[in-house]
Amino acid sequence: MGRTRPYPTRAVAWSSVVAALVLGVTAPASADDPEPGPTPSVPDIATRYPTADPTTIPTGQAPSLPGEKGPGDPGFSEPPDNIGDVEEPVEVDPEAAGLRLADGAELAEPKVLDIKFVTEDLGGEERREDSTVRTKFTLQAEVLFPKDSPKLDDGAKDRIRKIAEEIEKQGSTEVNVFGFTDDLGSYAHGKKLSRKRASAVQTELAARLDPDVSFNVRGYSEDYPIADNRTEEGRERNRRVEVSFPKKD
Protein backbone atom coordinates (compact mmCIF):
# COMPACT_ATOMS: atom_id res chain seq x y z
CA MET A 1 0.00 0.00 0.00
CA GLY A 2 3.02 2.34 0.30
CA ARG A 3 3.65 2.52 -3.53
CA THR A 4 3.03 5.78 -5.41
CA ARG A 5 1.02 5.38 -8.64
CA PRO A 6 2.59 7.16 -11.70
CA TYR A 7 -0.67 8.17 -13.38
CA PRO A 8 -0.61 11.90 -12.48
CA THR A 9 2.85 12.32 -14.06
CA ARG A 10 1.70 10.71 -17.35
CA ALA A 11 -1.41 12.88 -17.37
CA VAL A 12 0.69 16.04 -17.02
CA ALA A 13 3.01 14.97 -19.84
CA TRP A 14 0.07 14.15 -22.16
CA SER A 15 -1.55 17.49 -21.36
CA SER A 16 1.68 19.29 -22.34
CA VAL A 17 1.72 17.58 -25.74
CA VAL A 18 -1.91 18.50 -26.42
CA ALA A 19 -1.27 22.11 -25.43
CA ALA A 20 1.71 22.28 -27.72
CA LEU A 21 -0.37 21.04 -30.67
CA VAL A 22 -3.25 23.44 -29.93
CA LEU A 23 -1.05 26.49 -29.39
CA GLY A 24 1.17 25.75 -32.39
CA VAL A 25 4.36 25.37 -30.38
CA THR A 26 7.04 23.69 -32.49
CA ALA A 27 9.06 21.02 -30.85
CA PRO A 28 12.85 21.35 -31.05
CA ALA A 29 14.29 19.68 -34.11
CA SER A 30 16.43 16.68 -33.59
CA ALA A 31 19.75 16.10 -35.33
CA ASP A 32 18.09 13.79 -37.83
CA ASP A 33 15.32 16.25 -38.83
CA PRO A 34 15.85 18.26 -42.10
CA GLU A 35 16.46 21.94 -41.68
CA PRO A 36 13.11 23.72 -42.01
CA GLY A 37 12.88 26.31 -44.83
CA PRO A 38 10.90 29.55 -44.95
CA THR A 39 7.16 29.34 -45.55
CA PRO A 40 6.59 30.35 -49.21
CA SER A 41 4.60 33.51 -49.83
CA VAL A 42 1.66 33.68 -52.28
CA PRO A 43 3.79 34.92 -55.24
CA ASP A 44 6.30 32.12 -54.54
CA ILE A 45 3.50 29.58 -54.72
CA ALA A 46 2.37 30.92 -58.10
CA THR A 47 5.95 30.79 -59.37
CA ARG A 48 7.06 27.48 -57.94
CA TYR A 49 3.82 25.62 -58.61
CA PRO A 50 2.44 26.91 -61.93
CA THR A 51 -0.79 25.39 -63.14
CA ALA A 52 -1.09 23.68 -66.54
CA ASP A 53 -4.72 24.77 -66.83
CA PRO A 54 -4.86 28.04 -68.86
CA THR A 55 -8.41 28.70 -67.64
CA THR A 56 -7.32 28.94 -63.99
CA ILE A 57 -7.62 32.53 -62.75
CA PRO A 58 -4.71 33.61 -60.49
CA THR A 59 -5.70 34.55 -56.95
CA GLY A 60 -4.07 36.38 -54.10
CA GLN A 61 -1.05 38.39 -55.19
CA ALA A 62 -0.64 36.76 -58.63
CA PRO A 63 0.25 39.10 -61.52
CA SER A 64 -2.66 40.86 -63.26
CA LEU A 65 -3.43 40.37 -66.96
CA PRO A 66 -2.01 42.82 -69.55
CA GLY A 67 -4.12 45.95 -69.79
CA GLU A 68 -6.14 45.01 -66.73
CA LYS A 69 -5.24 48.18 -64.82
CA GLY A 70 -6.85 50.47 -67.43
CA PRO A 71 -5.47 53.35 -69.58
CA GLY A 72 -1.70 53.62 -69.42
CA ASP A 73 -1.24 49.94 -68.68
CA PRO A 74 0.55 48.12 -71.56
CA GLY A 75 -1.94 46.07 -73.50
CA PHE A 76 -4.96 48.21 -72.61
CA SER A 77 -7.46 48.87 -75.37
CA GLU A 78 -10.64 50.93 -75.26
CA PRO A 79 -14.05 49.31 -75.73
CA PRO A 80 -15.22 49.28 -79.38
CA ASP A 81 -17.99 51.79 -78.66
CA ASN A 82 -15.53 54.35 -77.31
CA ILE A 83 -14.39 56.23 -80.42
CA GLY A 84 -12.53 58.88 -78.51
CA ASP A 85 -12.21 62.49 -79.53
CA VAL A 86 -13.02 63.45 -83.12
CA GLU A 87 -9.95 64.57 -85.03
CA GLU A 88 -10.02 67.36 -87.55
CA PRO A 89 -9.94 66.15 -91.18
CA VAL A 90 -6.64 66.34 -93.00
CA GLU A 91 -6.56 69.21 -95.46
CA VAL A 92 -5.96 68.17 -99.06
CA ASP A 93 -4.22 70.50 -101.49
CA PRO A 94 -6.25 70.37 -104.73
CA GLU A 95 -3.21 71.63 -106.61
CA ALA A 96 -0.94 68.82 -105.44
CA ALA A 97 0.96 67.22 -108.33
CA GLY A 98 -0.06 63.71 -107.30
CA LEU A 99 -3.76 64.53 -107.68
CA ARG A 100 -3.52 65.95 -111.18
CA LEU A 101 -4.47 64.02 -114.30
CA ALA A 102 -1.82 63.60 -116.94
CA ASP A 103 -1.92 66.10 -119.77
CA GLY A 104 -4.73 65.22 -122.15
CA ALA A 105 -6.28 62.62 -119.81
CA GLU A 106 -9.98 62.70 -118.97
CA LEU A 107 -12.08 60.99 -116.32
CA ALA A 108 -14.14 58.04 -117.54
CA GLU A 109 -17.88 58.44 -117.79
CA PRO A 110 -19.70 57.32 -114.63
CA LYS A 111 -21.59 54.03 -114.91
CA VAL A 112 -23.72 51.74 -112.79
CA LEU A 113 -22.03 48.47 -111.96
CA ASP A 114 -23.77 45.27 -113.05
CA ILE A 115 -24.82 43.78 -109.71
CA LYS A 116 -25.93 40.14 -109.93
CA PHE A 117 -28.26 38.19 -107.66
CA VAL A 118 -28.33 34.39 -107.93
CA THR A 119 -30.94 31.97 -106.59
CA GLU A 120 -30.81 28.20 -107.03
CA ASP A 121 -32.92 25.33 -105.76
CA LEU A 122 -31.32 22.75 -103.47
CA GLY A 123 -30.92 20.15 -106.20
CA GLY A 124 -29.37 22.61 -108.64
CA GLU A 125 -32.10 21.78 -111.16
CA GLU A 126 -33.02 25.41 -111.74
CA ARG A 127 -30.94 28.55 -111.34
CA ARG A 128 -31.92 32.19 -111.75
CA GLU A 129 -29.52 35.11 -112.19
CA ASP A 130 -30.73 38.71 -112.00
CA SER A 131 -28.51 41.66 -112.83
CA THR A 132 -29.19 45.30 -113.55
CA VAL A 133 -29.47 44.57 -117.27
CA ARG A 134 -30.89 41.05 -117.72
CA THR A 135 -32.42 37.91 -116.23
CA LYS A 136 -31.23 34.38 -117.01
CA PHE A 137 -32.77 31.02 -116.16
CA THR A 138 -30.67 27.85 -116.35
CA LEU A 139 -32.52 24.53 -116.38
CA GLN A 140 -30.81 21.16 -116.22
CA ALA A 141 -31.73 18.93 -119.14
CA GLU A 142 -32.86 16.13 -116.81
CA VAL A 143 -35.84 18.20 -115.57
CA LEU A 144 -36.91 19.02 -119.14
CA PHE A 145 -36.16 15.97 -121.31
CA PRO A 146 -35.74 12.20 -121.12
CA LYS A 147 -32.20 10.94 -121.59
CA ASP A 148 -30.75 11.75 -125.03
CA SER A 149 -34.14 13.11 -126.20
CA PRO A 150 -35.39 16.55 -127.33
CA LYS A 151 -39.00 15.84 -126.33
CA LEU A 152 -40.24 17.83 -123.33
CA ASP A 153 -41.47 16.02 -120.23
CA ASP A 154 -44.88 16.84 -118.80
CA GLY A 155 -43.34 18.60 -115.81
CA ALA A 156 -41.10 20.72 -118.06
CA LYS A 157 -44.03 22.74 -119.40
CA ASP A 158 -44.87 24.08 -115.94
CA ARG A 159 -41.29 25.32 -115.48
CA ILE A 160 -41.31 26.96 -118.90
CA ARG A 161 -44.66 28.58 -118.14
CA LYS A 162 -43.17 30.35 -115.10
CA ILE A 163 -40.30 31.65 -117.23
CA ALA A 164 -42.78 32.94 -119.82
CA GLU A 165 -44.63 34.81 -117.07
CA GLU A 166 -41.38 36.48 -116.00
CA ILE A 167 -40.56 37.47 -119.58
CA GLU A 168 -44.00 39.02 -119.91
CA LYS A 169 -43.62 40.79 -116.57
CA GLN A 170 -40.30 42.31 -117.63
CA GLY A 171 -41.79 43.41 -120.95
CA SER A 172 -38.92 41.85 -122.89
CA THR A 173 -39.30 41.51 -126.66
CA GLU A 174 -36.10 39.55 -127.37
CA VAL A 175 -35.26 36.19 -125.78
CA ASN A 176 -32.19 33.97 -126.08
CA VAL A 177 -32.62 30.20 -125.81
CA PHE A 178 -29.33 28.27 -125.80
CA GLY A 179 -28.84 24.51 -125.45
CA PHE A 180 -25.72 22.72 -124.11
CA THR A 181 -24.56 19.12 -123.58
CA ASP A 182 -21.67 17.39 -121.82
CA ASP A 183 -18.60 16.03 -123.65
CA LEU A 184 -19.82 12.42 -123.88
CA GLY A 185 -20.47 11.22 -127.41
CA SER A 186 -19.47 13.06 -130.57
CA TYR A 187 -19.43 16.82 -130.89
CA ALA A 188 -21.76 16.64 -133.90
CA HIS A 189 -24.34 14.63 -131.97
CA GLY A 190 -24.19 17.09 -129.09
CA LYS A 191 -24.61 19.98 -131.50
CA LYS A 192 -27.75 18.47 -132.99
CA LEU A 193 -29.25 17.46 -129.64
CA SER A 194 -28.59 20.80 -127.94
CA ARG A 195 -30.14 22.69 -130.88
CA LYS A 196 -33.29 20.55 -130.86
CA ARG A 197 -33.70 20.95 -127.12
CA ALA A 198 -33.34 24.73 -127.37
CA SER A 199 -35.94 24.75 -130.17
CA ALA A 200 -38.37 22.72 -128.05
CA VAL A 201 -38.13 25.25 -125.20
CA GLN A 202 -38.48 28.15 -127.62
CA THR A 203 -41.63 26.64 -129.13
CA GLU A 204 -43.24 26.28 -125.71
CA LEU A 205 -42.31 29.85 -124.77
CA ALA A 206 -43.61 31.27 -128.04
CA ALA A 207 -46.99 29.62 -127.46
CA ARG A 208 -47.34 31.60 -124.22
CA LEU A 209 -45.91 34.98 -125.28
CA ASP A 210 -46.90 37.82 -127.56
CA PRO A 211 -46.16 37.15 -131.25
CA ASP A 212 -43.94 40.26 -131.31
CA VAL A 213 -41.35 38.55 -129.12
CA SER A 214 -38.32 37.43 -131.14
CA PHE A 215 -35.99 34.56 -130.29
CA ASN A 216 -32.34 33.70 -130.76
CA VAL A 217 -31.99 29.92 -130.66
CA ARG A 218 -28.59 28.21 -130.52
CA GLY A 219 -27.16 24.75 -129.86
CA TYR A 220 -23.58 24.75 -128.53
CA SER A 221 -22.97 21.03 -127.85
CA GLU A 222 -20.18 20.70 -125.23
CA ASP A 223 -18.88 24.26 -125.68
CA TYR A 224 -18.96 26.69 -122.73
CA PRO A 225 -19.12 24.19 -119.85
CA ILE A 226 -19.97 25.55 -116.41
CA ALA A 227 -18.67 22.51 -114.48
CA ASP A 228 -16.06 19.76 -114.69
CA ASN A 229 -16.95 17.15 -117.33
CA ARG A 230 -14.71 14.59 -115.57
CA THR A 231 -17.40 13.97 -112.93
CA GLU A 232 -21.02 12.91 -113.35
CA GLU A 233 -22.12 15.82 -111.20
CA GLY A 234 -20.28 18.23 -113.48
CA ARG A 235 -21.65 16.64 -116.64
CA GLU A 236 -25.17 16.89 -115.24
CA ARG A 237 -24.74 20.64 -114.72
CA ASN A 238 -23.36 21.07 -118.24
CA ARG A 239 -26.41 19.40 -119.81
CA ARG A 240 -28.67 22.44 -119.68
CA VAL A 241 -30.84 25.00 -121.44
CA GLU A 242 -30.40 28.71 -120.75
CA VAL A 243 -33.16 31.28 -121.28
CA SER A 244 -32.09 34.91 -120.97
CA PHE A 245 -33.72 38.25 -121.74
CA PRO A 246 -32.95 41.93 -121.07
CA LYS A 247 -34.68 43.86 -118.34
CA LYS A 248 -37.10 46.60 -119.20
CA ASP A 249 -35.54 50.09 -118.95
Side-chain angles (χ1 to χ4, degrees), residues 126-146:
E126 183 172 332
R127 176 186 177 96
R128 174 173 175 165
E129 300 177 19
D130 285 284
S131 70
T132 55
V133 294
R134 72 168 184 167
T135 297
K136 182 173 75 172
F137 288 88
T138 302
L139 301 174
Q140 288 186 2
E142 277 71 9
V143 302
L144 299 175
F145 309 97

Side-chain angles (χ1 to χ4, degrees), residues 7 16 43 45 51 62 68 73 91 109-111 113 122-123 131 141 145 151 162 165 201-203 207 221 225 243:
Y7 298 110
S16 300
I45 293 175
T51 176
E68 190 177 273
D73 185 18
E91 295 185 3
E109 292 293 330
K111 65 178 181 179
L113 296 178
L122 293 177
S131 70
F145 309 97
K151 184 179 180 180
K162 294 178 181 179
E165 291 174 354
V201 174
Q202 180 268 330
T203 300
S221 186
V243 180

Side-chain angles (χ1 to χ4, degrees), residues 143-231:
V143 302
L144 299 175
F145 309 97
K147 184 177 180 180
D148 203 30
S149 171
K151 184 179 180 180
L152 290 171
D153 287 333
D154 293 337
K157 295 183 179 181
D158 186 58
R159 292 178 182 268
I160 296 174
R161 175 184 58 81
K162 294 178 181 179
I163 296 176
E165 291 174 354
E166 188 64 26
I167 294 173
E168 189 175 31
K169 178 182 177 181
Q170 295 289 348
S172 301
T173 57
E174 184 176 359
V175 180
N176 297 327
V177 185
F178 300 152
F180 305 85
T181 64
D182 56 29
D183 63 350
L184 298 180
S186 68
Y187 182 86
H189 175 73
K191 189 86 169 178
K192 182 179 180 180
L193 179 61
S194 61
R195 180 66 167 78
K196 286 185 175 182
R197 285 179 168 178
S199 295
V201 174
Q202 180 268 330
T203 300
E204 188 66 24
L205 286 172
R208 301 175 181 277
L209 295 173
D210 191 279
D212 294 336
V213 176
S214 62
F215 293 88
N216 299 311
V217 183
R218 303 282 189 276
Y220 289 103
S221 186
E222 63 192 59
D223 294 336
Y224 311 108
I226 59 174
D228 190 351
N229 272 314
R230 292 175 297 181
T231 66

Side-chain angles (χ1 to χ4, degrees), residues 2-107:
R3 294 182 181 180
T4 303
R5 304 178 69 177
Y7 298 110
T9 304
R10 293 181 180 179
V12 171
W14 180 255
S15 300
S16 300
V17 173
V18 173
L21 292 175
V22 173
L23 297 177
V25 178
T26 304
S30 64
D32 296 333
D33 293 336
E35 183 179 352
T39 302
S41 61
V42 173
D44 290 336
I45 293 175
T47 302
R48 294 174 56 188
Y49 309 103
T51 176
D53 184 3
T55 63
T56 301
I57 301 176
T59 58
Q61 302 178 18
S64 60
L65 299 176
E68 190 177 273
K69 297 179 180 179
D73 185 18
F76 174 78
S77 61
E78 294 182 349
D81 56 349
N82 186 354
I83 61 175
D85 298 332
V86 178
E87 299 180 357
E88 295 184 2
V90 178
E91 295 185 3
V92 178
D93 182 7
E95 301 298 327
L99 298 179
R100 294 181 181 179
L101 291 174
D103 293 340
E106 296 181 358
L107 291 175

